[in-house]
Amino acid sequence: MGSPIRFGYLTPETYLSEAWMPGTRPLAAIVYGEVPLSPRPWPQLSVMLRPLAVPGIVEILCTHAPVVYGQEDGFDLAATSDLLFAGIRIEEPPGTSVTALSEQVYARLLRLIHHRDYPYILRMWNTLQDINLDQNGLERYRQFCLGRHEALTKHGDGAEEERYPAASAVGSTAGGLCVYFLAAKSPGIPIENPKQVSAYRYPPQYGPRSPSFARGLVKTWSHGTDLFLSGTASITGHESRHQGRLVAQVGKAIDNLKILIGAAKPASNIGFALGPGSSVLKAYIRHADDYREVRSILEQRLGKTIEIAYLQAEICRKELLFEIEGAVSVPAAVA
Ligand code: 3EB
């Protein structure tokens, strides 16, 4: 039971041909930009982030295990015997604060994972429209952190910090709140970056409630291991570094990503390495004009063969220009 999740980025044409990843089944397709969609049994979630340099990208999550698809409480689902994917996108009802909406969505997803009996969230993706906008005296990202924290505290089991998933939270220009995640029957091992204060311990200057996530998470299955890398930016300690300096921010984010990957080894006894075939990355760039420069730095530092999706997104601190996230897998023979 249990094999790593296969992530891949497809052109719209390849996705529509369904000739991808032979022997695997889709858990979900995450859709960015212009992709003509027709109904499919698996979840297809349109995330309102613009791909850079190409009109459309489909991020496909696959597995070797049999999958059952479904819906519950507004979420689109895909489940194997040990893994659950669920995703939802909600436009904001008028008169509802981001705090309230985030708490509601998180309360619903916590109910869902307990009801379906996949109680351990491994990896969580959040996209919030206008994430840096101040509303009713509090930035929308900070409202999101507040609502998420409230839900986790009220509906959790009292051990939230040890159970925080790897996560990312970025801003879109449309689309309300979009949340999707992977959850499991058994827990993973959270990883922290020794050069960064854990996000859940950020001091109050960053908002009334700290962001509830781990920097990374290792999940070992019977047939291999996944390392999920949370959104990683130019932050040392708890402070943003290199304000206004793109090249230095990208460099610091990659340094942090490599430190995080290194930190997964002592925590899990498994060595992970970024490389083609084993890794996927997603680069979030605040200003579309920075795409070429960011891409050339990433290719210099990481080589040209790792799959990287480039998306325009607001980063959850106004001064940050870049964030990177991803996943690395290791087959069981090596693990
Ligand atoms: C940071 O390191 C940058 O709120 O879930 C990265 C990953 C960030 C996840 C989240 C926020 C989140 O604090 C921001």
Side-chain angles (χ1 to χ4, degrees), residues 106 109-110 113 118-125 152 163-166 180-184 186-188 217:
Y106 268 74
L109 73 85
L110 290 169
I113 60 171
Y118 298 82
Y120 299 96
I121 304 176
L122 307 175
R123 180 60 165 103
M124 189 95 209
W125 289 266
L152 290 169
R163 290 181 49 170
Y164 282 153
Y180 62 99
F181 63 90
L182 293 164
S186 56
L217 185 137

Short mmCIF file of all heavy atoms in Angstrom, two decimals, residues 106 109-110 113 118-125 152 163-166 180-184 186-188 217:
data_model
loop_
_atom_site.label_atom_id
_atom_site.label_comp_id
_atom_site.label_asym_id
_atom_site.label_seq_id
_atom_site.Cartn_x
_atom_site.Cartn_y
_atom_site.Cartn_z
N TYR A 106 -11.89 26.12 6.45
CA TYR A 106 -11.03 25.20 7.20
C TYR A 106 -11.84 24.31 8.14
O TYR A 106 -11.52 23.14 8.30
CB TYR A 106 -9.92 25.97 7.93
CG TYR A 106 -8.68 26.05 7.07
CD1 TYR A 106 -8.63 26.90 5.97
CD2 TYR A 106 -7.59 25.22 7.31
CE1 TYR A 106 -7.51 26.93 5.15
CE2 TYR A 106 -6.47 25.24 6.49
CZ TYR A 106 -6.43 26.11 5.42
OH TYR A 106 -5.34 26.11 4.61
N LEU A 109 -13.20 21.63 5.91
CA LEU A 109 -12.23 20.62 5.45
C LEU A 109 -11.76 19.74 6.60
O LEU A 109 -11.46 18.56 6.40
CB LEU A 109 -11.08 21.27 4.67
CG LEU A 109 -9.99 22.06 5.36
CD1 LEU A 109 -8.88 21.17 5.87
CD2 LEU A 109 -9.43 23.08 4.40
N LEU A 110 -11.73 20.30 7.81
CA LEU A 110 -11.36 19.47 8.96
C LEU A 110 -12.45 18.43 9.24
O LEU A 110 -12.16 17.27 9.54
CB LEU A 110 -11.11 20.34 10.19
CG LEU A 110 -9.84 21.20 10.10
CD1 LEU A 110 -9.80 22.24 11.21
CD2 LEU A 110 -8.59 20.33 10.15
N ILE A 113 -12.01 15.65 6.52
CA ILE A 113 -10.93 14.66 6.67
C ILE A 113 -11.22 13.70 7.82
O ILE A 113 -10.84 12.54 7.77
CB ILE A 113 -9.53 15.32 6.85
CG1 ILE A 113 -9.48 16.22 8.08
CG2 ILE A 113 -9.13 16.07 5.59
CD1 ILE A 113 -8.07 16.70 8.42
N TYR A 118 -9.19 10.44 6.89
CA TYR A 118 -7.81 10.73 6.48
C TYR A 118 -7.37 11.93 7.33
O TYR A 118 -7.33 13.06 6.85
CB TYR A 118 -7.74 11.09 4.99
CG TYR A 118 -8.16 9.98 4.05
CD1 TYR A 118 -9.51 9.75 3.78
CD2 TYR A 118 -7.20 9.16 3.43
CE1 TYR A 118 -9.91 8.75 2.92
CE2 TYR A 118 -7.60 8.15 2.57
CZ TYR A 118 -8.95 7.94 2.33
OH TYR A 118 -9.34 6.95 1.47
N PRO A 119 -7.11 11.70 8.62
CA PRO A 119 -7.01 12.84 9.55
C PRO A 119 -5.73 13.65 9.48
O PRO A 119 -5.64 14.69 10.13
CB PRO A 119 -7.16 12.17 10.92
CG PRO A 119 -6.78 10.75 10.73
CD PRO A 119 -7.04 10.39 9.29
N TYR A 120 -4.74 13.21 8.70
CA TYR A 120 -3.45 13.91 8.69
C TYR A 120 -3.26 14.66 7.37
O TYR A 120 -3.04 14.03 6.33
CB TYR A 120 -2.31 12.92 8.90
CG TYR A 120 -2.42 12.20 10.22
CD1 TYR A 120 -3.01 10.94 10.30
CD2 TYR A 120 -1.97 12.81 11.39
CE1 TYR A 120 -3.13 10.28 11.51
CE2 TYR A 120 -2.10 12.15 12.61
CZ TYR A 120 -2.67 10.89 12.66
OH TYR A 120 -2.81 10.26 13.86
N ILE A 121 -3.32 16.00 7.44
CA ILE A 121 -3.06 16.78 6.22
C ILE A 121 -1.55 16.83 6.02
O ILE A 121 -0.80 17.15 6.95
CB ILE A 121 -3.63 18.20 6.32
CG1 ILE A 121 -5.14 18.14 6.62
CG2 ILE A 121 -3.42 18.95 5.00
CD1 ILE A 121 -5.76 19.51 6.84
N LEU A 122 -1.13 16.49 4.81
CA LEU A 122 0.31 16.47 4.49
C LEU A 122 0.73 17.79 3.85
O LEU A 122 1.76 18.36 4.17
CB LEU A 122 0.62 15.33 3.52
CG LEU A 122 0.16 13.93 3.90
CD1 LEU A 122 0.45 12.96 2.76
CD2 LEU A 122 0.83 13.47 5.19
N ARG A 123 -0.06 18.22 2.87
CA ARG A 123 0.31 19.36 2.05
C ARG A 123 -0.94 20.14 1.72
O ARG A 123 -1.97 19.55 1.36
CB ARG A 123 0.98 18.85 0.75
CG ARG A 123 1.43 19.95 -0.22
CD ARG A 123 2.44 20.88 0.41
NE ARG A 123 3.16 21.70 -0.55
CZ ARG A 123 2.91 22.98 -0.79
NH1 ARG A 123 1.88 23.58 -0.24
NH2 ARG A 123 3.70 23.66 -1.60
N MET A 124 -0.85 21.46 1.84
CA MET A 124 -2.01 22.33 1.70
C MET A 124 -1.63 23.48 0.76
O MET A 124 -0.56 24.07 0.94
CB MET A 124 -2.22 22.90 3.11
CG MET A 124 -3.43 23.64 3.28
SD MET A 124 -4.57 22.45 3.94
CE MET A 124 -6.01 23.03 3.39
N TRP A 125 -2.45 23.75 -0.23
CA TRP A 125 -2.22 24.89 -1.12
C TRP A 125 -3.37 25.88 -0.95
O TRP A 125 -4.54 25.48 -1.00
CB TRP A 125 -2.17 24.44 -2.58
CG TRP A 125 -0.97 23.65 -2.99
CD1 TRP A 125 0.18 24.13 -3.56
CD2 TRP A 125 -0.80 22.22 -2.91
NE1 TRP A 125 1.05 23.08 -3.82
CE2 TRP A 125 0.48 21.91 -3.44
CE3 TRP A 125 -1.60 21.17 -2.43
CZ2 TRP A 125 0.97 20.61 -3.50
CZ3 TRP A 125 -1.11 19.86 -2.49
CH2 TRP A 125 0.15 19.60 -3.03
N LEU A 152 -8.38 25.61 13.17
CA LEU A 152 -7.50 24.53 13.62
C LEU A 152 -7.55 24.39 15.15
O LEU A 152 -7.49 23.29 15.68
CB LEU A 152 -6.06 24.79 13.16
CG LEU A 152 -5.82 24.65 11.65
CD1 LEU A 152 -4.45 25.20 11.26
CD2 LEU A 152 -5.96 23.19 11.20
N ARG A 163 1.34 18.83 14.05
CA ARG A 163 0.60 18.26 12.93
C ARG A 163 0.40 19.23 11.79
O ARG A 163 -0.35 18.94 10.86
CB ARG A 163 -0.76 17.75 13.43
CG ARG A 163 -0.61 16.52 14.32
CD ARG A 163 -1.93 15.99 14.79
NE ARG A 163 -2.89 15.82 13.70
CZ ARG A 163 -4.04 15.20 13.84
NH1 ARG A 163 -4.36 14.67 15.01
NH2 ARG A 163 -4.87 15.09 12.83
N TYR A 164 1.05 20.39 11.84
CA TYR A 164 0.88 21.32 10.74
C TYR A 164 1.39 20.71 9.45
O TYR A 164 2.44 20.06 9.41
CB TYR A 164 1.64 22.62 11.01
CG TYR A 164 0.93 23.55 11.98
CD1 TYR A 164 1.66 24.43 12.75
CD2 TYR A 164 -0.45 23.55 12.09
CE1 TYR A 164 1.02 25.30 13.64
CE2 TYR A 164 -1.09 24.41 12.96
CZ TYR A 164 -0.35 25.28 13.73
OH TYR A 164 -0.99 26.13 14.60
N PRO A 165 0.68 20.94 8.35
CA PRO A 165 1.12 20.44 7.05
C PRO A 165 2.17 21.37 6.43
O PRO A 165 2.33 22.51 6.88
CB PRO A 165 -0.16 20.48 6.22
CG PRO A 165 -0.95 21.61 6.79
CD PRO A 165 -0.63 21.62 8.28
N ALA A 166 2.85 20.90 5.43
CA ALA A 166 3.55 21.79 4.52
C ALA A 166 2.49 22.60 3.78
O ALA A 166 1.39 22.09 3.53
CB ALA A 166 4.41 20.99 3.54
N TYR A 180 -6.72 23.54 -1.75
CA TYR A 180 -6.69 22.11 -2.02
C TYR A 180 -5.57 21.46 -1.24
O TYR A 180 -4.62 22.12 -0.82
CB TYR A 180 -6.62 21.81 -3.51
CG TYR A 180 -5.41 22.30 -4.26
CD1 TYR A 180 -4.34 21.44 -4.55
CD2 TYR A 180 -5.33 23.61 -4.72
CE1 TYR A 180 -3.23 21.88 -5.27
CE2 TYR A 180 -4.23 24.05 -5.44
CZ TYR A 180 -3.19 23.19 -5.70
OH TYR A 180 -2.09 23.63 -6.40
N PHE A 181 -5.73 20.15 -0.99
CA PHE A 181 -4.78 19.50 -0.08
C PHE A 181 -4.70 18.01 -0.31
O PHE A 181 -5.55 17.41 -0.98
CB PHE A 181 -5.14 19.79 1.38
CG PHE A 181 -6.48 19.26 1.81
CD1 PHE A 181 -6.60 17.97 2.34
CD2 PHE A 181 -7.63 20.03 1.69
CE1 PHE A 181 -7.84 17.48 2.74
CE2 PHE A 181 -8.87 19.55 2.09
CZ PHE A 181 -8.97 18.27 2.61
N LEU A 182 -3.64 17.43 0.25
CA LEU A 182 -3.46 15.99 0.32
C LEU A 182 -3.48 15.60 1.79
O LEU A 182 -2.78 16.22 2.61
CB LEU A 182 -2.12 15.59 -0.30
CG LEU A 182 -2.00 15.82 -1.81
CD1 LEU A 182 -0.54 15.77 -2.25
CD2 LEU A 182 -2.82 14.78 -2.58
N ALA A 183 -4.26 14.59 2.13
CA ALA A 183 -4.33 14.11 3.51
C ALA A 183 -4.15 12.59 3.51
O ALA A 183 -4.37 11.93 2.50
CB ALA A 183 -5.67 14.48 4.15
N ALA A 184 -3.75 12.07 4.67
CA ALA A 184 -3.41 10.64 4.74
C ALA A 184 -3.99 10.00 5.98
O ALA A 184 -4.48 10.67 6.89
CB ALA A 184 -1.89 10.47 4.71
N SER A 186 -2.14 8.15 7.96
CA SER A 186 -1.11 8.16 9.00
C SER A 186 -0.25 9.40 8.83
O SER A 186 -0.16 9.95 7.74
CB SER A 186 -0.28 6.88 8.92
OG SER A 186 0.29 6.75 7.63
N PRO A 187 0.39 9.85 9.90
CA PRO A 187 1.06 11.16 9.85
C PRO A 187 2.38 11.15 9.10
O PRO A 187 3.00 10.11 8.92
CB PRO A 187 1.30 11.48 11.33
CG PRO A 187 1.36 10.16 12.02
CD PRO A 187 0.43 9.25 11.26
N GLY A 188 2.81 12.32 8.68
CA GLY A 188 4.15 12.52 8.15
C GLY A 188 5.03 13.15 9.23
O GLY A 188 4.60 13.34 10.37
N LEU A 217 7.47 18.67 4.87
CA LEU A 217 6.93 17.47 5.50
C LEU A 217 7.38 16.25 4.70
O LEU A 217 7.33 16.24 3.47
CB LEU A 217 5.41 17.55 5.57
CG LEU A 217 4.74 16.39 6.31
CD1 LEU A 217 3.63 16.89 7.23
CD2 LEU A 217 4.17 15.37 5.32
#
